[in-house]
């Protein structure tokens, strides 16, 4: 059974049911991977520059997504990784700004935006549009025509 890890004080959703900085622990995954993720989350804290880390399917490579220069504490964690290859991927936008914008879209456009999350890559926002709204508008992208954002939006029809 999977277990949640991470700080309970992080509240911006990174995925349904998970907060930013939280991740799911899957059985059979090496402990050093989760140790690294915990140390990374602790070093990054609530920094708006910290994006969603990416873990390869074989759990041997971790991608740290960050906007701007890495702080010394985060650099130390990255440089001290053992048994896991770590790469730092710059994001196009500040992940914290994307998370805040996703929350705003849901709050201000509840009839059109069923859910919104910052894309893990830090390059925009994924938006789910209710099926009935997308159908009436001729598609998910068309349904978002009146929704303004400073960030690129990637629209999909929400599952029924």
């Amino acid at each position: 059974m999977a277990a949640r890890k991470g700080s309970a004080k992080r509240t911006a959703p990174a995925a349904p049911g998970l907060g930013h900085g939280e991740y799911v622990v899957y059985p059979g995954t090496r402990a050093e991977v989760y140790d690294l993720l915990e140390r990374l989350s602790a070093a990054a804290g609530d920094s708006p520059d910290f994006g969603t880390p990416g873990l390869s399917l074989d759990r041997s490579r971790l991608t740290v997504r960050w906007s701007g220069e890495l702080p010394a504490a985060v650099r130390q964690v990255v440089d001290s990784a053992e048994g896991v290859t770590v790469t730092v991927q710059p994001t196009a936008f500040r992940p914290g700004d994307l998370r805040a914008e996703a929350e705003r879209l849901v709050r201000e456009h509840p009839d059109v935006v069923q859910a919104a999350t910052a894309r893990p890559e830090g390059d925009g926002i994924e938006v789910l549009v209710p099926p009935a709204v997308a159908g009436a508008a001729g598609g998910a992208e068309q349904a978002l025509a009146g929704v303004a954002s400073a960030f690129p939006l990637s629209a999909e029809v929400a599952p029924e």
Side-chain angles (χ1 to χ4, degrees):
M1 174 177 255
R4 291 176 190 235
K5 298 293 272 186
S7 171
K9 68 180 176 179
R10 293 185 178 92
T11 58
L18 292 178
H20 178 66
E22 293 183 332
Y23 50 88
V24 176
V25 175
Y26 293 99
T29 301
R30 299 177 338 222
E32 64 265 21
V33 172
Y34 294 114
D35 176 60
L36 179 61
L37 283 168
E38 285 182 356
R39 291 187 298 121
L40 180 62
S41 290
D46 289 330
S47 174
D49 296 326
F50 183 37
T52 303
L55 191 56
S56 65
L57 291 176
D58 67 359
R59 307 294 194 250
S60 67
R61 294 179 315 278
L62 178 70
T63 301
V64 176
R65 297 178 178 113
W66 198 273
S67 176
E69 194 69 30
L70 282 182
V74 174
R75 172 57 64 193
Q76 183 178 6
V77 171
V78 167
D79 291 345
S80 70
E82 292 183 16
V84 180
T85 302
V86 180
T87 58
V88 177
Q89 178 184 36
T91 60
F93 303 103
R94 264 181 115 188
D97 294 344
L98 293 174
R99 290 188 294 272
E101 176 68 354
E103 290 175 2
R104 182 195 71 81
L105 291 171
V106 171
R107 186 177 59 252
E108 293 182 9
H109 303 281
D111 295 340
V112 179
V113 178
Q114 181 173 320
T117 59
R119 288 180 41 84
E121 298 81 6
D123 60 355
I125 299 169
E126 294 177 356
V127 177
L128 291 179
V129 177
V133 174
E141 292 287 339
Q142 294 85 343
L144 291 180
V147 176
S149 178
F151 302 102
L153 302 179
S154 176
E156 292 185 26
V157 178
E160 290 191 50

